[in-house]
Amino acid sequence: MTCSHWSGGQRGRDAGGPRRSPLDLIMNQIRRKRSASDRKPLGRFLSRDRTSIPEAAEETAPASGVAEAGGVERDGGWGRVCVFLQKLGKKADSRSLRLSHCDLTATDLLELATLLRLLPRLEELDVSWNELIGGCLTTLTSHLQQVGGIRALRLCSCRLNAADVAALGEALGCVPLLEVLDLSWNSGVGGGALQCLLGNLPPPLRELHLVACRLTAADAASLAGMVSAVAGLCVLDLSCNPQLTQEVDTGGFAALASGLPNAAALATLRLQDCGLRPGGLEALGGSLHHLPSLRELDLSCNKSLAGGLDTFAPHLAHLTHLESLDLHLCRLTRCDLEALIQVLPSLAGMTQLDVSSNQETGGVVDQLVAALPLPQMRRLPLNSSSLNKDSFTALALAVPCLLSVDVSWCKVVGGRLALLLDALQPSVVLELRLSSCDLTTEDLRHLGAACRRGVLSSLRTLDVSYNGSVGEDGWSALLAAGGLASLQDVDLSLRPLTSAPCSAWLPALLRALPGLPALTRLAAQRWEAGPRDREQLTHSLSKRGVLLEWDAATSPASSFEATNQESPEE
């Protein structure tokens, strides 16, 4: 994403809007009349779990956790739980209820709440992405005392409002063992409602996720109190809250930053797209020397950070265990990058550094490579970084140990891909992204040769999209090379508003499919094929359950899924 941590942009809905639309009301009536057998496929379709078990298997196979249910099963209660979950297309488990994307209604929530007493061993409850339960959460929270052993509670994108948050705050005392609380993508959490959780968070809490909750500077002050009360907090994710860091001088984020030292166990801090400015960065920097356990720091997509790293970077030296630092899309200046480079030798544990999508990065790659602990580096994305010939050559020094190589949107790669491929070690790289690199036919021949040498035998993701200058021979050479038995995801798409025939290389793709046993997704958008070729490829992939992303066919009988993704920002 432009904010990569939450790839695909804003995932949640606007929880600040009306809780019920007329369409919602109509759909509620339809859902109430829907039979269990009718509703089951819908639940599976809406679920993000693509590995769901076939219906017959769910009905006949013994459910996980049945033996653990003990007396609950013997008195018939477990059967009620199984029936409820089956109508949602879910598998019964006495320890985990994962009901995300199930289109739950208020009636469903009430039924779920009454079943909690039959699940005394429940440890995980996830009802995320069910927007129709917003405003009704008290129905569930009033029964949480029945499942006091819960360790993870996820309520993402449920359109929670202030009353829901208040009800949750009152009920948290009933789940004293709670370790994970995720309220992300609920804009009703921000604007003061968060105060209801203050003083109620269980001491064992280890993870708190509040992504895209419209948190304000006042909420930041409330968070300071929460962090101080939960000394064992390990993960704090406040990403996508652009108002969080306002009013630094009058408290707000400054209070939160000053409270962070009370969470000495904090290992992950994510502040992506939080409106950070140099002043807020300075306040944060003063707290870093009190966070010796911090291993991941995400400050990406804060486009007003320019000029702030000069004073912030020296504080990073205190993070001796830091493994991952993300500063992509922050409009960093050359002075910012040089200040960062000065401190990199102190970060001996670094394995991932992301300064991509900063135009000045291309001019300091040689210095970055010289300062980083190359033998242990695993990710160093440089997409959209204005690489030049010298910086591309310098990158080749870091490539041998990297698990992920991303130089997308760097035109200098075109005609020079062999330099990068020759530096790769066999069976190391798992992800190779070369989107919009002006690749040539010869570049793809070199890529095919690398496949034959076994260099890419562990590769799982290959993105060579938006390279329309490659000739038919180049695509054929790549697809006929073999050596990609681990490949799961491949993207060959053309740019939007362009098209080209694929009849010349499609036979090579069809012949290559048996050698791609792990393939789960093939994107070939805007490539044109005749009805026979299209049907042959669709049939070959559908038999294996491979997702084919292709432009809509003229025939209504086509069964593949078509999408039209936007091109990334260069």
Side-chain angles (χ1 to χ4, degrees):
M1 67 182 181
T2 306
C3 297
S4 63
H5 179 66
W6 294 96
S7 180
Q10 292 284 340
R11 293 186 187 175
R13 298 290 196 274
D14 181 6
R19 186 165 48 83
R20 295 288 190 274
S21 68
L23 179 60
D24 289 338
L25 297 176
I26 295 172
M27 292 302 295
N28 278 348
Q29 297 300 321
I30 296 173
R31 291 185 191 98
R32 292 189 183 101
K33 296 178 181 179
R34 188 184 297 146
S35 67
S37 61
D38 289 337
R39 187 169 184 178
K40 185 175 180 180
L42 178 63
R44 180 180 292 111
F45 175 75
L46 292 174
S47 174
R48 285 181 292 181
D49 182 6
R50 297 188 180 275
T51 60
S52 55
I53 299 173
E55 294 181 22
E58 290 182 2
E59 294 170 358
T60 58
S64 171
V66 170
E68 298 172 357
V72 172
E73 180 183 13
R74 287 192 294 272
D75 67 14
W78 181 248
R80 289 179 54 198
V81 175
C82 293
V83 169
F84 175 74
L85 294 176
Q86 284 176 359
K87 75 177 182 180
L88 298 175
K90 295 294 183 178
K91 183 179 179 181
D93 188 331
S94 66
R95 295 186 181 274
S96 176
L97 280 182
R98 299 178 182 178
L99 304 177
S100 61
H101 290 272
C102 280
D103 197 27
L104 296 178
T105 65
T107 303
D108 294 325
L109 195 65
L110 176 60
E111 184 176 358
L112 171 63
T114 60
L115 293 175
L116 290 183
R117 65 182 181 82
L118 305 175
L119 296 166
R121 300 190 181 189
L122 191 66
E123 296 182 356
E124 178 184 9
L125 177 58
D126 184 354
V127 292
S128 300
W129 308 96
N130 290 290
E131 297 186 346
L132 296 179
I133 67 175
C136 308
L137 195 63
T138 184
T139 303
L140 180 66
T141 57
S142 61
H143 290 77
L144 283 183
Q145 71 272 15
Q146 307 286 348
V147 284
I150 282 184
R151 298 182 182 274
L153 178 59
R154 295 182 172 88
L155 296 161
C156 305
S157 191
C158 290
R159 288 195 175 223
L160 302 184
N161 57 29
D164 292 325
V165 179
L168 177 62
E170 294 175 359
L172 285 178
C174 300
V175 284
L177 303 180
L178 192 68
E179 297 179 356
V180 179
L181 178 60
D182 194 344
L183 304 178
S184 298
W185 309 104
N186 288 290
S187 61
V189 172
L194 198 63
Q195 183 73 24
C196 299
L197 301 182
L198 186 61
N200 295 320
L201 294 178
L205 194 70
R206 296 173 55 83
E207 297 185 20
L208 180 60
H209 301 267
L210 297 170
V211 177
C213 287
R214 289 190 182 177
L215 302 182
T216 64
D219 294 318
S222 297
L223 279 167
M226 293 183 190
V227 169
S228 300
V230 188
L233 193 65
C234 295
V235 177
L236 180 60
D237 193 347
L238 306 175
S239 299
C240 303
N241 288 289
Q243 299 180 31
L244 181 69
T245 59
Q246 308 304 313
E247 304 176 19
V248 174
D249 297 333
T250 58
F253 184 73
L256 173 58
S258 63
L260 288 177
N262 294 309
L266 196 64
T268 298
L269 177 60
R270 302 188 184 117
L271 296 170
Q272 182 184 91
D273 189 20
C274 282
L276 270 174
R277 290 176 164 80
L281 202 59
E282 184 176 357
L284 177 63
S287 301
L288 293 185
H289 65 285
H290 296 293
L291 300 174
S293 300
L294 199 65
R295 283 172 166 75
E296 177 186 343
L297 179 60
D298 186 351
L299 305 176
S300 62
C301 304
N302 288 288
K303 298 182 180 180
S304 299
L305 276 187
L309 255 64
D310 193 29
T311 56
F312 177 75
H315 295 291
L316 291 173
H318 298 291
L319 303 178
T320 54
H321 297 290
L322 190 66
E323 298 174 358
S324 175
L325 177 61
D326 195 342
L327 290 163
H328 84 268
L329 201 62
C330 288
R331 296 180 180 171
L332 300 180
T333 65
R334 188 179 183 95
C335 290
D336 289 324
L337 291 164
E338 289 175 347
L340 175 63
I341 290 169
Q342 291 297 317
V343 76
L344 286 179
S346 303
L347 305 177
M350 183 73 71
T351 61
Q352 303 183 55
L353 175 64
D354 192 346
V355 288
S356 64
S357 299
N358 291 291
Q359 296 302 310
E360 296 295 329
T361 297
V364 297
V365 172
D366 55 340
Q367 300 175 53
L368 276 173
V369 171
L372 287 168
L374 294 184
Q376 65 192 44
M377 289 299 296
R378 296 297 176 260
R379 290 190 71 251
L380 183 62
L382 292 171
N383 50 293
S384 301
S385 298
S386 298
L387 297 181
N388 54 41
K389 295 179 182 179
D390 293 336
S391 56
F392 184 65
T393 302
L395 173 62
L397 298 176
V399 160
C401 297
L402 298 181
L403 300 181
S404 174
V405 177
D406 188 350
V407 289
S408 296
W409 303 89
C410 294
K411 309 305 182 185
V412 71
V413 180
R416 300 180 178 84
L417 185 59
L419 178 65
L420 197 67
L421 297 174
D422 290 343
L424 294 175
Q425 295 293 319
S427 304
V428 173
V429 66
L430 304 179
E431 180 181 49
L432 180 59
R433 297 191 179 274
L434 303 167
S435 179
S436 192
C437 286
D438 277 355
L439 297 183
T440 65
T441 300
E442 194 62 26
D443 286 328
L444 258 65
R445 288 197 180 103
H446 284 300
L447 186 57
C451 293
R452 287 193 296 273
R453 295 197 306 270
V455 172
L456 303 177
S457 60
S458 297
L459 194 68
R460 298 176 186 172
T461 300
L462 175 62
D463 185 355
V464 287
S465 60
Y466 299 179
N467 287 289
S469 56
V470 174
E472 297 171 347
D473 292 344
W475 297 112
S476 298
L478 171 61
L479 296 170
L484 293 172
S486 300
L487 192 64
Q488 300 174 359
D489 189 312
V490 59
D491 195 338
L492 312 174
S493 300
L494 297 176
R495 286 178 178 274
L497 305 180
T498 64
S499 62
C502 63
S503 55
W505 54 261
L506 191 57
L509 172 59
L510 293 170
R511 290 191 297 270
L513 289 178
L516 301 173
L519 190 66
T520 59
R521 172 183 174 266
L522 170 62
Q525 296 180 56
R526 292 168 286 280
W527 284 104
E528 297 177 344
R532 179 176 297 179
D533 289 337
R534 183 181 290 271
E535 181 179 359
Q536 188 175 4
L537 180 59
T538 301
H539 178 68
S540 298
L541 295 180
S542 63
K543 289 191 304 182
R544 297 170 45 181
V546 177
L547 174 64
L548 175 60
E549 296 183 1
W550 214 354
D551 294 318
T554 55
S555 170
S558 298
S559 59
F560 62 85
E561 177 176 340
T563 63
N564 188 20
Q565 298 172 342
E566 295 292 331
S567 60
E569 178 184 2
E570 183 169 357

